[in-house]
């Protein structure tokens, strides 16, 4: 895998086919091993496409089941549902996103006021800590916009418990650099590592675990493997899942955004799409590589939508929709949702409507329902 990823649906489908024909069969046994840059990945590496829904979770999970059977695809399908879980959990706990944004602002203020903290942060972000493994992952993150999932966990744990840096600064670093940076998965994964998502149960990076799952490439000394989990005064409060809208019967303007770029499969009902617009809302501070990937993905979706619906498609500008009602796929908590114009009718995919209500607590409830959800 050599990032940047070509950000088109066609490239995503090719990547899916290559995974199913090759490393997918060994996914359950090999997925925790990080072979490093330039090596054949042990994961699917489909997340940049899933993050923008150039590929949908539904089609990827079902393709895996067709290729390997329900039993053989269990581990991979479960990982696909982790993405769905995080989105559903953040939708019903939006305070976690607000708290992250507030915590990030406070941490940035500390960087200005505390030279020692600023020095440690700059060394960590630049990969100059002297910690074996961590520095290599920091460099790979900024150069490629990509890290193996296990490396992300190690990195976050070392950032929080060994370097004693605010977790919000690390989450921000990831969101700005990762080509698959997703507000829900990123925010809640960092909270999980810190022991905030599952309270009192942090993920602690261990030297022997890193040595084993990097095939001996990295053997970091000096890790704090016994640090206490982080605490917060008030955990994010659960709120009811907001209801979706039904599209009207007449012609509509379809507004696409970076959280759902497969307009061909949207539940639009009988509505006729007369105009299509594209909304580009990058993560705050996103680096050029991420912004370019976002732009390419949106351009690909607009071209497909124009061909599919037979009407003009272009980036939005003032008055683009005219007098037409604006319909948009549901934008989960994050930059796209915050950038939507008022009055949009938000439609939600069946996959999300069925799974998100099961994501209000831990993952087990949703995981136990996977057979029923996949059978629907």
């Amino acid at each position: 895998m050599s990032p940047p990823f070509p950000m088109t649906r066609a490239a995503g489908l090719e990547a899916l086919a290559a995974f199913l024909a090759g490393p997918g069969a060994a996914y359950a046994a090999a997925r925790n091993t990080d072979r490093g840059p330039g090596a054949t990945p042990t994961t699917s590496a489909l997340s940049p496409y899933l993050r923008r829904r150039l590929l949908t979770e539904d089609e990827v999970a079902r393709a895996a089941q067709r290729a390997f059977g329900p039993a053989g695809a269990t581990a991979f399908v479960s990982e696909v549902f982790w993405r769905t879980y995080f989105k559903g959990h953040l939708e019903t706990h939006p305070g976690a996103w607000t708290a992250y944004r507030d915590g990030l602002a406070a941490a940035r203020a500390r960087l200005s006021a505390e030279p020692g903290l600023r020095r440690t942060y700059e060394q960590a972000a630049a990969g100059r800590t002297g910690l074996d493994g961590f520095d290599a992952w920091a460099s790979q993150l900024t150069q490629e916009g990509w890290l193996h999932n296990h490396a992300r966990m190690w990195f976050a744990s070392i950032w929080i418990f060994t370097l004693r840096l605010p977790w919000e600064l690390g989450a921000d670093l990831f969101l700005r650099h990762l080509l698959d940076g997703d507000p829900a998965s990123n925010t809640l994964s960092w909270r999980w590592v810190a022991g905030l998502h599952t309270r009192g149960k942090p993920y602690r990076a261990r030297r022997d675990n890193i040595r084993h799952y990097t095939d001996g490439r990295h053997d970091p000394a000096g890790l704090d493997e016994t640090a206490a989990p982080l605490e917060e005064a008030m955990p994010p409060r659960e709120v009811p899942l907001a209801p979706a809208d039904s599209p009207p019967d007449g012609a509509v303007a379809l507004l696409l955004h970076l959280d759902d770029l497969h307009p061909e499969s949207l539940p639009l009902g009988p509505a006729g799409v007369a105009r299509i617009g594209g909304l580009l809302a990058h993560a705050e501070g996103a680096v050029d590589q991420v912004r370019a990937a976002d732009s390419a993905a949106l351009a690909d979706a607009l071209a497909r939508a124009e061909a599919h619906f037979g009407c003009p498609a272009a980036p939005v500008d003032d008055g683009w929709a005219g007098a037409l009602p604006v319909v948009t796929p549901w934008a989960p908590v994050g930059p796209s949702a915050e950038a939507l114009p008022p009055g949009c009718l938000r439609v939600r995919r069946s996959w999300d409507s069925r799974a998100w209500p099961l994501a209000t607590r831990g993952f087990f409830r949703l995981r136990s329902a996977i057979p029923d959800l996949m059978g629907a």
Side-chain angles (χ1 to χ4, degrees), residues 81-210:
F81 270 95
W82 266 105
R83 174 176 297 275
T84 299
Y85 166 74
F86 282 139
K87 286 184 181 294
H89 194 87
L90 198 60
E91 285 298 293
T92 54
H93 296 77
W97 175 253
T98 304
Y100 156 64
R101 300 295 300 160
D102 291 344
L104 177 59
R108 286 171 172 167
R110 288 184 59 195
L111 290 179
S112 299
E114 301 176 31
L117 180 68
R118 182 170 66 251
R119 182 168 54 253
T120 301
Y121 168 76
E122 290 173 349
Q123 290 172 343
R128 293 186 283 104
T129 67
L131 288 168
D132 184 29
F134 183 92
D135 288 349
W137 300 321
S139 297
Q140 185 181 1
L141 171 67
T142 56
Q143 291 171 15
E144 296 185 354
W146 175 260
L147 283 178
H148 186 284
N149 186 61
H150 210 166
R152 299 182 196 202
M153 294 162 58
W154 294 323
F155 184 101
S157 181
I158 293 169
W159 181 281
I160 294 167
F161 298 121
T162 297
L163 299 176
R164 305 289 179 178
L165 286 165
W167 73 266
E168 296 93 343
L169 291 174
D172 172 66
L173 184 73
F174 271 20
L175 199 56
R176 288 188 289 112
H177 284 276
L178 285 172
L179 288 165
D180 61 356
D182 170 73
S185 295
N186 189 63
T187 303
L188 298 180
S189 291
W190 275 83
R191 285 179 55 85
W192 178 75
V193 169
L196 296 172
H197 184 72
T198 304
R199 297 180 67 185
K201 296 182 179 180
Y203 174 81
R204 299 185 182 94
R206 303 194 321 271
R207 182 179 183 180
D208 64 334
N209 184 266
I210 294 172

